[in-house]
Amino acid sequence: HTPANNVSTIEILPAPSLVNGENVTYVYGEPIKVDYNSTNATGVSYEIYDELGNFVTNGTVGPNGTIDVDQLAVGNYTVYWNNTVDGNHTPANNVSTIEILPAPSLVNGTDVTVTYGEPIEVPYESTNATSVVYEIFDEDGNLVTNGTVGPDGIVPVDQLPVGNYTVNWTNIVDGNHTPATNTSTITVLPAPSLVEGENVTVYYGDPIVVPYESTNATSVTYEVFDSEGNPVTNGTVGPDGTVPVSQLPIGNYTVKWDTIVDENHIPATNTSTITVLPVPTKITIDNVTVYPGENVTIPINVTTINDEPFNGTVAVIMPDNSTQTVTIINGTGNVTWYVPDDYTPDKYP
């Protein structure tokens, strides 16, 4: 046989490569990390685009690992992955996604309780808000006031009537955060009122005028009672002033005072006293000279503490210890006495 020869071929095809990126979801503000892996690659390149197709960032990394992505705004992003290979492998590409969710925001207002007339200031604070809107409603749901303020601070509120109020708070946020709402309360309590009457002491017959004063009252009522609790007189007067009282007999009296108030104040009660004293008098009896067995008329002069003529009766104790009642008119009167025949100063001291 004669020898023969021939040829054949060996074809070595490039092996495939692979690349995969993880689909990740983060809340805005959290660090963004995307794990990836590849097979038969010498390196990996990536490009990130937003949902409108706008280029965001890119880079070249090793065959396997994690990429750190700078902060992204809320939205959906696509990551395009490409392998870098040697001559024995075919390049590969793939896609993964990054989803950035809005971060929550917070707002809190302090519950406030004040007494009517006190300044009303409501502290509040928020997180991830650009500003805060507040609305104040009364207990019937009527809007009282509203406004827009900064992220943190104090809301000064104009004077409110007594009652319970609700403050609705709402965050204003950017596109990377979700708005938040909350409520707080304002409680306005009634303010106290006060009334005070002066304790008055007069002599019988003098004018009786009782000064008084009050706080937070629209008017004042008074009632005068005698020492046995019987009503004598009453009336309603303004918030401050004096009460003229008609002539009272000698004795001790109690004045009960009560404030009349509006719905923003609490009524108050107090007492004061009126004391009517007997009028002091000054008695002057003239010196006389007389002999035993004679009748004598003795002039008597009586005046009040104010040196005014006294009208009334006085009891006169005579030298013999007898008592005579003498009528005094316009400050003068007379007492007549028969001097006993046996009268001596020693016998009738």
Side-chain angles (χ1 to χ4, degrees), residues 126-341:
S126 68
T127 304
N128 295 330
T130 58
S131 56
V132 172
V133 173
Y134 68 90
E135 296 176 296
I136 300 177
F137 296 88
D138 64 19
E139 46 202 299
D140 294 324
N142 301 308
L143 177 66
V144 176
T145 186
N146 59 15
T148 301
V149 289
D152 301 281
I154 294 175
V155 173
V157 181
D158 291 339
Q159 184 64 63
L160 297 174
V162 168
N164 298 306
Y165 299 83
T166 300
V167 186
N168 289 344
W169 305 92
T170 303
N171 270 356
I172 297 176
V173 296
D174 58 24
N176 295 313
H177 299 89
T178 54
T181 61
N182 211 334
T183 62
S184 65
T185 60
I186 300 172
T187 303
V188 181
L189 303 175
S193 67
L194 297 172
V195 61
E196 290 187 340
E198 187 175 325
N199 295 328
V200 172
T201 298
V202 298
Y203 291 114
Y204 178 80
D206 287 345
I208 304 173
V209 178
V210 185
Y212 70 95
E213 60 183 11
S214 68
T215 303
N216 295 330
T218 57
S219 56
V220 172
T221 63
Y222 67 91
E223 296 177 284
V224 181
F225 298 90
D226 65 19
S227 56
E228 295 179 354
N230 300 308
V232 175
T233 187
N234 60 37
T236 301
V237 288
D240 301 282
T242 57
V243 172
V245 180
S246 299
Q247 184 62 61
L248 297 175
I250 291 169
N252 297 308
Y253 299 83
T254 299
V255 186
K256 180 176 177 292
W257 305 92
D258 291 286
T259 57
I260 297 175
V261 297
D262 60 21
E263 65 277 4
N264 294 313
H265 297 91
I266 302 170
T269 297
N270 210 338
T271 60
S272 64
T273 61
I274 300 173
T275 303
V276 181
L277 300 175
V279 180
T281 56
K282 179 171 60 176
I283 300 177
T284 303
I285 301 178
D286 291 347
N287 293 324
V288 295
T289 300
V290 67
Y291 295 98
E294 294 181 348
N295 284 317
V296 62
T297 298
I298 305 172
I300 298 175
N301 299 300
V302 185
T303 59
T304 68
I305 193 172
N306 300 320
D307 290 329
E308 296 175 349
F310 173 79
N311 289 283
T313 58
V314 296
V316 181
I317 300 175
M318 306 308 296
D320 61 358
N321 288 326
S322 63
T323 300
Q324 295 193 33
T325 300
V326 181
T327 300
I328 306 297
I329 300 174
N330 291 327
T332 62
N334 294 300
V335 60
T336 299
W337 179 54
Y338 174 79
V339 182
D341 292 334

Side-chain angles (χ1 to χ4, degrees), residues 16-99:
S17 66
L18 296 172
V19 63
N20 290 294
E22 183 183 8
N23 295 326
V24 295
T25 299
Y26 288 101
V27 173
Y28 177 81
E30 293 178 342
I32 303 172
K33 296 180 178 292
V34 184
D35 294 333
Y36 70 94
N37 60 73
S38 68
T39 304
N40 298 327
T42 58
V44 172
S45 64
Y46 66 89
E47 294 179 291
I48 301 177
Y49 292 84
D50 66 19
E51 52 198 299
L52 298 177
N54 298 309
F55 173 77
V56 176
T57 190
N58 63 5
T60 300
V61 289
N64 300 286
T66 300
I67 63 171
D68 294 312
V69 182
D70 291 340
Q71 183 64 61
L72 298 175
V74 168
N76 296 302
Y77 298 84
T78 301
V79 186
Y80 293 92
W81 304 93
N82 291 284
N83 267 356
T84 302
V85 295
D86 59 20
N88 295 314
H89 298 88
T90 55
N93 58 67
N94 211 334
V95 296
S96 66
T97 60
I98 301 172
E99 182 182 15

